[in-house]
Amino acid sequence: MRTKISKMIFLAIAVCVMQTADLSAAENSNASVKIKVFPNKILYLPGEEATVKVVVENTGAQAEKGALILKEFRGLNESRVVGKEEQKVVPPNGKEEVAFKFKLGAQEFGREVRAEFLQGETVAAQGSEFFSVASDWLRVSITSLFHSGEAADRK
């Protein structure tokens, strides 16, 4: 039994590492477009409505046009589109912010939200962030160095 659980944990870690490596290896086709993703909380209750702010920054001299898509990933292979803006124009040297709201399911534990700025079929830029879903915060061990005071000790 213990060996089976160890193999499952190893497999889950391997999949997460491969998915992260895939994201970091993917080059943005448009270096002037940057995306940042900000969930409004790090812990949600099952079934709660989540709000995620996406900031698209254009550091170039030309306006950038494209579609902005927000996807939610959970488990090992489940994903869904939770928000989309078909026509997004980001002015030269400017920023655009979009707040997406969507209902979370009953499944608990970690989630990734990934925003993609598409120009045609090409992903021009992407960014992601993580949060947890749990009815009891102790099940997901939400901790932060900034809340415990340890961050100041590490400087």
Side-chain angles (χ1 to χ4, degrees), residues 39-46 48-51 104 131-134:
N40 69 334
K41 294 168 39 171
I42 60 171
L43 177 63
Y44 289 93
L45 293 170
E48 189 175 356
E49 182 179 74
T51 301
L104 297 168
F131 61 87
S132 292
V133 177

Side-chain angles (χ1 to χ4, degrees), residues 19-152:
Q19 188 174 11
T20 303
D22 184 46
L23 272 179
S24 60
E27 291 186 27
N28 292 339
S29 66
N30 189 334
S32 65
V33 179
K34 311 271 188 259
I35 291 187
K36 293 183 181 175
V37 179
F38 303 97
N40 69 334
K41 294 168 39 171
I42 60 171
L43 177 63
Y44 289 93
L45 293 170
E48 189 175 356
E49 182 179 74
T51 301
V52 176
K53 180 174 77 170
V54 177
V55 178
V56 183
E57 181 179 8
N58 177 10
T59 59
Q62 302 291 326
E64 295 291 344
K65 299 176 185 175
L68 184 61
I69 298 173
L70 185 68
K71 298 177 181 176
E72 175 197 32
F73 293 84
R74 62 182 179 213
L76 293 177
N77 61 357
E78 294 178 54
S79 66
R80 66 182 178 133
V81 174
V82 294
K84 188 171 187 176
E85 282 209 6
E86 291 289 341
Q87 299 295 320
K88 197 76 192 148
V89 178
V90 186
N93 297 309
K95 291 181 184 179
E96 287 291 320
E97 293 184 8
V98 179
F100 292 103
K101 293 182 181 220
F102 59 97
K103 193 85 162 163
L104 297 168
Q107 184 182 17
E108 296 193 22
F109 297 109
R111 309 280 175 98
E112 175 191 4
V113 281
R114 186 182 311 160
E116 297 176 345
F117 188 72
L118 300 175
Q119 293 179 316
E121 296 295 317
T122 305
V123 177
Q126 64 182 352
S128 67
E129 190 55 82
F130 301 88
F131 61 87
S132 292
V133 177
S135 54
D136 178 6
W137 68 272
L138 292 173
R139 291 185 70 196
V140 292
S141 300
I142 299 294
T143 61
S144 169
L145 294 177
F146 294 102
H147 293 293
S148 66
E150 293 177 28

Side-chain angles (χ1 to χ4, degrees), residues 1-12:
M1 178 69 169
R2 196 176 247 184
T3 304
K4 189 174 185 179
I5 291 173
S6 296
K7 286 180 182 179
M8 289 174 56
I9 291 171
F10 176 77
L11 178 62

